[in-house]
Amino acid sequence: MTAVTAEHTADTTHQAHFDAAVAADERIEPRDWMPDEYRSSLVRQMAQHAHSEIIGMQPEANWITRAPSLRRKAILMAKVQDEAGHGLYLYSAAETLGTSREELLDKLHSGRQKYSSIFNYPTLTWADVGAIGWLVDGAAITNQVPLCRCSYGPYARAMVRICKEESFHQRQGYELLLALSQGTPAQHDMAQDAVNRWWWPSLMMFGPPDEESAHSARSMAWKIKRHSNDELRQRFVDICVPQAEALGLTLPDPDLRWNEERGHHDFGAIDWDEFWQVLKGDGPCNEQRITQRRRAHEEGAWVREAAAAYAAKTASDKAERNEAQVEATA
Ligand SMILES: [Fe+2]
Ligand SMILES: [Fe+2]
């Protein structure tokens, strides 16, 4: 056998093992062989997810200093810190695929990797904190619960913890909106206005319609994704309708109605032009978000330097201690 055919045979065996593992719903782990496209597709998705978590801290952090009570402030601070943690789990999970966090952050800062477009919308009032928790974190959970069964082990395991925290985020948003909705007429209007502004962008979070989604089919075959964009979007709408009713708020869609035959709610057309425009960088806050992110990264340089210096010192102290021990026993 020539070297080339031997290599080819090894690759086909690897591919067969990989395919069998995915078919049997087994997890692919970092040391397992995987197709290059599977790896790069995962890195792209996990990086975009991690970036979304840390950029997503900004719109809500905007309200920490103006939270209406100590209790609300404590809840919001905990939530924003959770999002930082989600970013860290996901960057760590992405590192198991052979990319460094530094490289991923560099791609975010230079615009070569994206984050969820939802965070390019502004938070105009306190009620936006509630609408984000209820709708944006709610949409994120709908998307992410199936990722707990994703074929890549480290991603799936990170998602289990993230989903638990997201569910707290969703509830705090819902509870905040409920308090406003049942408050004074002005508070009720503020809640309604926030829902009016966040509803459609939340539906866009599930990504383009199935027939236009570039990566969907392949991700589903690899069991990275378990449900299509449209399927998840429908699930989210069906969950939100009764919740909106309980909140005493309306969803801003005149076409929204129960379809007995389908057993689902029909809903109006999504403005995909707006989606693509925001994705391309022309949303209300794209520039502000990335500028702030770069600034935060630069301002954190001393922390990274100190951590690296401490790690180096700890390693050299340990090496010295080991040497001393060897000498003592010699
Ligand atoms: Fe999160
Ligand atoms: Fe969240």
Side-chain angles (χ1 to χ4, degrees):
M1 212 186 317
T2 66
V4 174
T5 46
E7 208 172 276
H8 178 73
T9 314
D11 265 5
T12 6
T13 320
H14 282 141
Q15 180 76 50
H17 276 147
F18 173 84
D19 291 344
V22 170
D25 270 337
E26 281 166 20
R27 295 270 186 267
I28 307 299
E29 296 298 337
R31 290 205 180 96
D32 294 341
W33 183 91
M34 61 188 88
D36 289 344
E37 303 78 44
Y38 177 83
R39 186 185 297 273
S40 58
S41 182
L42 269 172
V43 168
R44 182 186 50 77
Q45 181 174 338
M46 288 158 77
Q48 183 169 328
H49 192 164
H51 299 332
S52 304
E53 298 285 357
I54 60 166
I55 294 273
M57 296 166 73
Q58 291 184 34
E60 290 184 285
N62 177 37
W63 282 93
I64 290 176
T65 54
R66 289 170 288 167
S69 69
L70 185 60
R71 175 175 168 267
R72 290 289 178 199
K73 186 172 179 142
I75 294 172
L76 183 56
M77 279 171 60
K79 195 222 172 203
V80 172
Q81 284 180 350
D82 280 354
E83 306 300 6
H86 297 174
L88 295 185
Y89 310 155
L90 290 165
Y91 285 122
S92 302
E95 279 182 318
T96 65
L97 290 162
T99 40
S100 69
R101 191 186 304 179
E102 213 176 353
E103 187 186 330
L104 296 180
L105 284 173
D106 190 49
K107 284 186 174 158
L108 169 65
H109 298 152
S110 60
R112 281 173 294 153
Q113 276 177 347
K114 298 208 176 309
Y115 55 88
S116 176
S117 277
I118 192 82
F119 301 119
N120 290 318
Y121 290 87
T123 40
L124 302 180
T125 71
W126 170 251
D128 287 35
V129 171
I132 289 183
W134 178 41
L135 296 173
V136 176
D137 290 274
I141 299 170
T142 312
N143 251 329
Q144 292 172 6
V145 164
L147 284 174
C148 298
R149 294 188 297 124
C150 156
S151 58
Y152 188 58
Y155 193 24
R157 289 189 287 273
M159 290 321 300
V160 173
R161 181 159 174 186
I162 290 179
C163 283
K164 284 188 183 148
E165 293 175 350
E166 294 301 356
S167 127
F168 150 67
H169 298 169
Q170 194 267 353
R171 280 176 213 188
Q172 68 82 35
Y174 184 89
E175 194 262 344
L176 195 166
L177 278 182
L178 187 64
L180 288 178
S181 178
Q182 296 177 343
T184 65
Q187 287 173 324
H188 181 276
D189 290 351
M190 197 202 281
Q192 183 62 61
D193 172 64
V195 169
N196 291 349
R197 283 180 290 106
W198 288 94
W199 173 248
W200 290 105
S202 301
L203 293 192
M204 294 177 198
M205 281 176 73
F206 295 91
D210 293 347
E211 64 270 18
E212 286 168 40
S213 174
H215 307 289
S216 265
R218 216 176 43 171
S219 287
M220 280 179 63
W222 279 329
K223 295 191 182 167
I224 296 174
K225 263 184 95 149
R226 298 280 180 159
H227 308 279
S228 78
N229 295 354
D230 287 331
E231 227 177 327
L232 292 167
R233 188 169 9 247
Q234 179 71 63
R235 186 178 295 176
F236 178 67
V237 172
D238 290 340
I239 291 170
C240 286
V241 172
Q243 292 183 347
E245 256 164 53
L247 282 170
L249 298 170
T250 53
L251 296 171
D253 179 357
D255 297 325
L256 190 64
R257 61 180 57 87
W258 177 250
N259 182 326
E260 190 66 52
E261 213 171 289
R262 291 201 308 122
H264 290 291
H265 292 87
D266 289 338
F267 52 97
I270 293 171
D271 181 357
W272 290 111
D273 289 343
E274 176 183 322
F275 173 79
W276 293 115
Q277 191 185 331
V278 179
L279 194 76
K280 273 194 320 227
D282 293 333
C285 300
N286 295 56
E287 213 173 301
Q288 180 188 334
R289 299 289 184 242
I290 208 71
T291 305
Q292 169 61 20
R293 172 90 275 285
R294 286 197 202 111
R295 185 165 55 223
H297 189 71
E298 278 157 27
E299 285 173 2
W302 71 272
V303 180
R304 291 188 295 280
E305 278 161 27
Y310 179 73
K313 187 179 180 312
T314 316
S316 81
D317 286 356
K318 199 175 161 196
E320 254 169 51
R321 267 200 312 276
N322 284 348
E323 247 168 62
Q325 227 166 26
V326 173
E327 269 166 33
T329 49

